Amino acid sequence: MPKDQPPAEAFLKDIFGFDSFRPGQGEIVEAVAGGENVLAIMPTGGGKSLCFQLPALMRPGVTVVISPLIALMRDQVRGLREAGVVAGALTSGNTPEETDAVWDALHDGSLKLLYLAPERLANAGTQRMLAEAGVSLIAVDEAHCVSQWGHDFRPDYLRIGELRRMLDVPLAAFTATADVETQQEIVTRLFDGQAPRTFLRGFDRPNITLAFQPKNSPRTQILSYAAARRSQSGIVYCGTRAKTEGIAKALRDDGHPACHYHGGMEADDRRHVEERFAREDGLIVCATVAFGMGVDKPDIRWVAHADLPKSIEAYYQEIGRAGRDGAPAETLTLYGPDDIRLRRAQIDEGNAPPDRRAADHGRLNALLGLAEAQGCRRQALLAYFGEKAAPCGNCDLCETPPELFDGTEAVRKALSA
Ligand code: ADP
Ligand code: MG
Ligand code: ZN
């Protein structure tokens, strides 16, 4: 290795085995290693873990990593150990031997990364131990879990701010959730309102075509969309369980391999669909939003929404399941006045407190803004996530002038209803 090579690059190759940083990673690593407070927002799969794991090796002492899922923590610890890094986790899943080994490594100063389950922070013993352990950095993975208005809220995340004050060390927070309210909450709760250096990176998925259509006859529209994409794997997201079954049947009647998936099915049946989808080429799954977390198929060629998603974040996540392999993929979202009314009613009828409801309406309205956009949809979508972009040439509005497109009437009716 040449002498003048910066240490970050050396660790990147020697420890992690990567040739180069992904977009954004290099700057984030530099800021975190340099001891700045950082909030980094990168899409799922963007490579956030490296952005705290690598700086942890560059900083003195130990980095505490707070992460919401024991399985994820154990997975990262295993990966780090295989790479020769001294890392450990303190979670409820530990054997006494594992916990002893972590304590020993902490005491003899060899531990570089300590993964901590958030509920551990409530423990006075843990706090004392951390105060004496030579912590030089706190990394918070899935930092949106601190947001009380989000679905992943973890009350114990609220203790992280206290930990930061006690240890008085830099904190780096990572999330894939980019909306402004969540960002503000992260800044308030993790950084005491002192704006950290913020990185917002790479939300564009240029290989995915974006398109919206007013909903006329959803079943016919979905059938013709699928017919033009025969033998390609796709997902049809539906607003109700009944509709997943109805559309799956219509697709089968039309000669497609198709099945349905929703939260009302037995766990075994759901797993069966997940496995079939992963294995089989060209299967179409008609699903509610329950079909998500477990879907890790790289070659999904299209995603259609038979009904409008509940928010712009949900839309981005759901279309984002297409084309993970980077090859061209297409999406179509249908929407009409009934969708808008239904989504509004769902927000209003929920038990959420008023400011949460206001935020949910905001996220739905942002999606309606996208549905009604007059210019490039990707530009509008990325602008929501804080990114500037030129017109993409890969959305329906870039391809077809907006004058020819009339979805506005449906929305106007709904708004005045
Ligand atoms: P995120 O937490 O942002 O969803 P991960 O940290 O889990 O993403 O990383 C996703 C994948 O990308 C992992 O398999 C990881 O090993 C890989 N990865 C991360 N950084 C790089 C890089 N610089 N070069 C190649 N692969 C990378
Ligand atoms: Mg991650
Ligand atoms: Zn465009």
Side-chain angles (χ1 to χ4, degrees), residues 102-269:
V102 173
W103 282 97
D104 288 348
L106 197 58
H107 285 133
D108 70 23
S110 60
L111 194 68
K112 290 309 291 176
L113 288 108
L114 173 62
Y115 284 75
L116 260 195
E119 48 278 8
R120 281 264 165 174
L121 296 175
N123 182 306
T126 305
Q127 292 188 12
R128 249 194 327 273
M129 175 271 285
L130 291 177
E132 292 162 9
V135 175
S136 69
L137 172 66
I138 300 169
V140 183
D141 205 5
E142 315 287 352
H144 61 280
C145 292
V146 81
S147 162
Q148 288 183 276
W149 310 140
H151 295 286
D152 299 325
F153 176 52
R154 294 285 297 263
D156 287 310
Y157 263 57
L158 296 175
R159 300 179 185 278
I160 298 172
E162 202 182 302
L163 177 74
R164 191 188 61 80
R165 280 194 296 277
M166 179 186 87
L167 296 176
D168 194 24
V169 296
L171 186 146
F174 299 86
T175 181
T177 306
D179 64 288
V180 174
E181 289 92 347
T182 307
Q183 280 179 49
Q184 280 166 354
E185 248 186 304
I186 291 173
V187 172
T188 305
R189 299 191 190 285
L190 296 185
F191 299 97
D192 282 329
Q194 302 275 335
R197 181 131 172 239
T198 300
F199 297 88
L200 189 64
R201 268 287 155 190
F203 278 82
D204 194 12
R205 300 281 306 279
N207 60 316
I208 299 179
T209 304
L210 310 177
F212 283 69
Q213 261 176 30
K215 193 190 278 191
N216 310 314
S217 161
R219 190 169 292 202
T220 316
Q221 286 170 286
I222 296 291
L223 282 177
S224 73
Y225 196 70
R229 288 158 186 82
R230 221 167 260 285
S231 76
Q232 298 181 5
S233 298
I235 303 176
V236 180
Y237 279 108
C238 304
T240 64
R241 294 173 179 181
K243 199 181 257 185
T244 66
E245 299 182 13
I247 293 187
K249 174 157 193 321
L251 285 165
R252 281 194 301 274
D253 291 346
D254 211 25
H256 298 274
C259 51
H260 65 267
Y261 184 105
H262 56 66
M265 291 160 62
E266 297 292 334
D268 276 352
D269 296 335

Side-chain angles (χ1 to χ4, degrees), residues 42-50 52 67 72 76 141-142 174-176:
M42 288 167 92
T44 302
K48 290 184 282 297
S49 322
L50 183 89
F52 56 83
S67 169
L72 291 182
Q76 293 199 8
D141 205 5
E142 315 287 352
F174 299 86
T175 181

Side-chain angles (χ1 to χ4, degrees), residues 210-214 308 315 332-333 335 367 370-371 377 396 405:
L210 310 177
F212 283 69
Q213 261 176 30
L308 190 77
Y315 167 79
L332 172 67
T333 300
Y335 71 103
L367 179 58
L370 188 63
R377 292 203 203 271
D396 53 351
F405 177 84

